Amino acid sequence: MSTRTPRSRLWRPAVAAAAAITVTAGVVAAAPDDKKAETVPQLGLVAASKSVTLDSWKEDPGVYLDLGTYLTASGAPLELRVTRKSYKDPVVATQVIREGKKTRTRALPEGLVKDFSGLPGFVGITVRDAKGKSVISRTESFCPNNASGRILPDAPSTSKYPESCPTNPFTLGSVWGVEKGWASNTYAGYYAAPVALAAGTYTAEVGVTKRYRDLFKIADKPQTVKVTVRERSWEEESPATAAGARAASGHAGHEAGHSGHAGHTAARTPAPVSGTTGAGPSYNVGHGPHPPAPAAVPWAAKRQGLRSAQGDGPGRTDGSRQAPAAQPNAKRPTGRAAVPDVPKPDLRSLPAYGITIGEGDTGTPGRDYLAFSANVWNAGPAQLVVDGFRKPGNELMDAYQYFYDASGKQVGYTPTGTMEWDPRPGHEHWHFTDFASYRLLKADKKETVRSGKEAFCLANTDAVDYTVKNANWHPDNTDLSTACGQENSISVREVLDVGSGDTYTQDLPGQSFDITGLANGTYYIQVLANPEKRLKETDLGNNSALRKVVLGGKPGARTVTVPKHDLVDAP
């Protein structure tokens, strides 16, 4: 199946807000001290409260079923590895069971998962009105990484599992888990659709569906929650409250014309995030003015409006942290540069997606542009660490790549080009030059157009494959408002961690090709990492990714058809 994307304007502003709240769940009894710890997780479903109040807005009605139910894990964590060998292979899930120092695995049923967004159809929800009539009956997916908080006092203080389920269509591997002694909210958040419920009182029954009860040995004990739906109006709120409420209820995008993650899904606003240049504290944000993909627990950020995210801390372990920028060395390196024989990063490109025809960065009349999203990621086994140092008064920074031994000690460095300040809206940070390049190739795969963008702010925006060796499940440098410095910075450190990638969305300046003079036909978008080979890598032979596109239409009304990339249908 191929998808034809219509002409649209490429660059839109962002409107978003962020918050973090403390979440508590029900507590279950701890096992006696003398009882041997279970090696298989004991899972259960609990409700944090017997009643909840949900808002429906007159101007944009619809209620999100955030009912406050949680999956608990005791005795042992629930841990799943979700992978695909290639884009020609289906996504498969494996349960990891740890027995002391030994680890065994259990393959979950073929076809259980289709993508990396969570376990599909995990919970069943039935909502009845005051007369007992069923008005809603549906199932929703469950992301185990929606870590909400501890349910046992002796549980680990933090969850070791990642903070979200990836949304990038070209994700290769993910790790999902509910930590031992923890609970994860079952609300599907970003992946759920609102439902129509009139103001009034209802009763909701939430239960784990039979397929998963049988698979994970979960007791059939549905939770009942009283639901009050209240109707509110933005016009009746103060401006600040209304703005926060619109964002919190998931409707803010209707005003700004937001599209979904990287522009390739239906219009959708996920959890609120900070009002930066298209970025925020949640994961998978990419560089661009689209609203970010979900924070680990989208429900956790709903109620605080425009209040800035404060990050994880005591009593707040909901995954909505705002990671700090990585700190550069205080001084530029001295002594002889050397590239030691230690592990190095392995940069790889994902195929382009979010592909559309538009007017270009400045809306130049009479010209056609092919825009796209692109991601370069690090398959490891070592971080990519680049420091930039600025001589006072200079417009460029000198860039250096650093190398570390197994204990984390810096053991070498090498000059690797420059960093430059990009003042354009949507960027406004320091870019490392020659990190990647974009080229449009003809059907014979010879270059026909090259994008002018070859400089990038490095940030860990996407969890591409957390199953690779040394993958960091909790990377810093995820928040683009701090990751790449300010105009007056004298030094900057940019990091691409193992397992993570850096997405630039198609709405940003430079993320397009001028195709005005190109003939209709077949082309390939090439995303090429480390094009000048200035960065030292484990492997330089896997840096290119191609995505086939077919141009059609007439000047001023060009079209693009984007065939599936093997099994991935992500135009």
Side-chain angles (χ1 to χ4, degrees):
M1 176 182 174
S2 63
T3 303
R4 185 180 301 275
T5 58
R7 184 180 185 87
S8 62
R9 183 160 183 83
L10 299 186
W11 190 32
R12 298 178 290 274
V15 176
I21 64 171
T22 300
V23 181
T24 58
V27 177
V28 301
D33 292 340
D34 58 352
K35 182 178 179 181
K36 184 178 179 180
E38 299 284 351
T39 57
V40 177
Q42 307 302 305
L43 306 179
L45 185 71
V46 301
S49 175
K50 295 181 180 180
S51 62
V52 298
T53 299
L54 306 178
D55 290 330
S56 178
W57 296 86
K58 290 181 181 179
E59 294 83 355
D60 193 2
V63 175
Y64 288 87
L65 296 178
D66 178 5
L67 301 172
T69 53
Y70 301 79
L71 186 76
T72 64
S74 59
L78 171 66
E79 182 172 320
L80 305 177
R81 302 293 175 105
V82 188
T83 61
R84 53 182 163 202
K85 294 180 180 178
S86 73
Y87 301 125
K88 296 180 180 179
D89 298 289
V91 178
V92 297
T94 302
Q95 183 177 2
V96 178
I97 302 171
R98 305 185 186 281
E99 299 173 327
K101 295 182 179 181
K102 296 182 179 181
T103 299
R104 64 184 176 92
T105 59
R106 173 171 80 124
L108 300 189
E110 183 179 344
L112 179 72
V113 293
K114 305 295 184 183
D115 55 29
F116 295 88
S117 64
L119 295 166
F122 185 85
V123 293
I125 301 173
T126 300
V127 179
R128 293 182 172 85
D129 63 17
K131 296 180 179 180
K133 179 183 177 182
S134 175
V135 292
I136 293 172
S137 181
R138 63 188 290 176
T139 62
E140 289 192 350
S141 297
F142 167 57
C143 171
N145 292 344
N146 283 0
S148 309
R150 296 186 293 175
I151 57 171
L152 297 174
D154 61 346
S157 60
T158 59
S159 171
K160 61 177 170 287
Y161 297 106
E163 297 168 5
S164 65
C165 291
T167 59
N168 191 301
F170 288 100
T171 300
L172 289 162
S174 187
V175 179
W176 301 343
V178 182
E179 183 62 270
K180 174 184 174 182
W182 279 62
S184 288
N185 193 291
T186 63
Y187 169 52
Y190 178 84
Y191 306 105
V195 297
L197 283 177
T201 59
Y202 301 85
T203 300
E205 183 179 274
V206 184
V208 178
T209 56
K210 186 176 186 305
R211 183 177 194 180
Y212 293 101
R213 294 200 309 268
D214 294 344
L215 184 61
F216 296 118
K217 308 301 181 187
I218 303 173
D220 185 10
K221 295 182 178 179
Q223 299 296 309
T224 300
V225 180
K226 180 182 177 181
V227 178
T228 300
V229 175
R230 62 182 179 183
E231 188 177 62
R232 298 173 66 185
S233 172
W234 299 336
E235 301 302 325
E236 298 169 1
E237 307 289 334
S238 67
T241 303
R246 288 196 294 272
S249 63
H251 301 310
H254 295 280
E255 293 184 350
H258 285 163
S259 64
H261 174 58
H264 66 277
T265 59
R268 191 67 174 283
T269 301
V273 294
S274 299
T276 64
T277 54
S282 67
Y283 213 57
N284 301 326
V285 294
H287 293 73
H290 291 294
V297 273
W299 47 268
K302 280 180 60 176
R303 301 175 181 87
Q304 299 287 321
L306 297 174
R307 176 183 167 196
S308 297
Q310 299 300 311
D312 283 353
R316 182 172 57 246
T317 51
D318 56 24
S320 63
R321 69 189 178 95
Q322 184 167 0
Q327 295 300 313
N329 287 340
K331 299 179 180 179
R332 68 175 62 224
T334 58
R336 183 179 178 184
V339 181
D341 184 18
V342 294
K344 297 178 179 64
D346 181 10
L347 300 179
R348 303 181 185 182
S349 301
L350 298 184
Y353 60 100
I355 301 168
T356 187
I357 299 289
E359 300 172 358
D361 304 337
T362 59
T364 306
R367 306 204 70 82
D368 298 297
Y369 290 83
L370 178 69
F372 55 95
S373 292
N375 181 292
V376 173
W377 71 287
N378 180 8
Q383 287 182 320
L384 172 65
V385 180
V386 178
D387 274 5
F389 297 93
R390 184 181 193 178
K391 294 176 181 178
N394 281 17
E395 297 300 317
L396 295 177
M397 290 189 182
D398 298 322
Y400 299 85
Q401 182 182 0
Y402 289 86
F403 308 98
Y404 301 84
D405 63 17
S407 65
K409 179 182 177 182
Q410 180 187 314
V411 292
Y413 73 91
T414 186
T416 185
T418 60
M419 292 185 185
E420 63 185 11
W421 174 256
D422 191 330
R424 294 174 295 178
H427 291 292
E428 295 181 320
H429 45 217
W430 287 90
H431 279 172
F432 172 51
T433 57
D434 294 316
F435 174 69
S437 69
Y438 307 141
R439 307 173 189 195
L440 187 63
L441 311 182
K442 294 181 290 187
D444 60 6
K445 298 184 180 177
K446 293 182 179 180
E447 182 178 324
T448 182
V449 179
R450 182 179 299 195
S451 168
K453 180 172 177 56
E454 295 190 1
F456 300 77
C457 158
L458 307 186
N460 300 302
T461 67
D462 291 66
V464 177
D465 192 347
Y466 275 7
T467 67
V468 298
K469 182 180 179 181
N470 294 339
N472 182 1
W473 297 351
H474 294 272
D476 289 332
N477 212 43
T478 61
D479 173 35
L480 301 182
S481 68
T482 61
C484 299
Q486 318 245 337
E487 187 174 10
N488 61 358
S489 295
I490 197 166
S491 60
V492 172
R493 167 160 288 188
E494 300 187 5
V495 177
L496 195 60
D497 225 317
V498 179
S500 291
D502 188 5
T503 291
Y504 273 75
T505 65
Q506 79 276 29
D507 285 47
L508 278 174
Q511 291 294 127
S512 62
F513 301 109
D514 187 343
I515 60 168
T516 305
L518 296 186
N520 289 339
T522 298
Y523 295 86
Y524 291 88
I525 297 174
Q526 181 189 46
V527 180
L528 181 62
N530 195 14
E532 303 300 326
K533 298 181 172 57
R534 291 181 178 175
L535 294 168
K536 306 304 178 184
E537 295 189 60
T538 300
D539 186 354
L540 290 170
N542 55 12
N543 289 14
S544 175
L546 301 178
R547 187 72 194 275
K548 183 178 180 179
V549 296
V550 181
L551 299 181
K554 298 179 180 180
R558 300 295 293 272
T559 63
V560 60
T561 300
V562 186
K564 290 172 60 176
H565 186 85
D566 296 327
L567 295 180
V568 181
D569 192 5

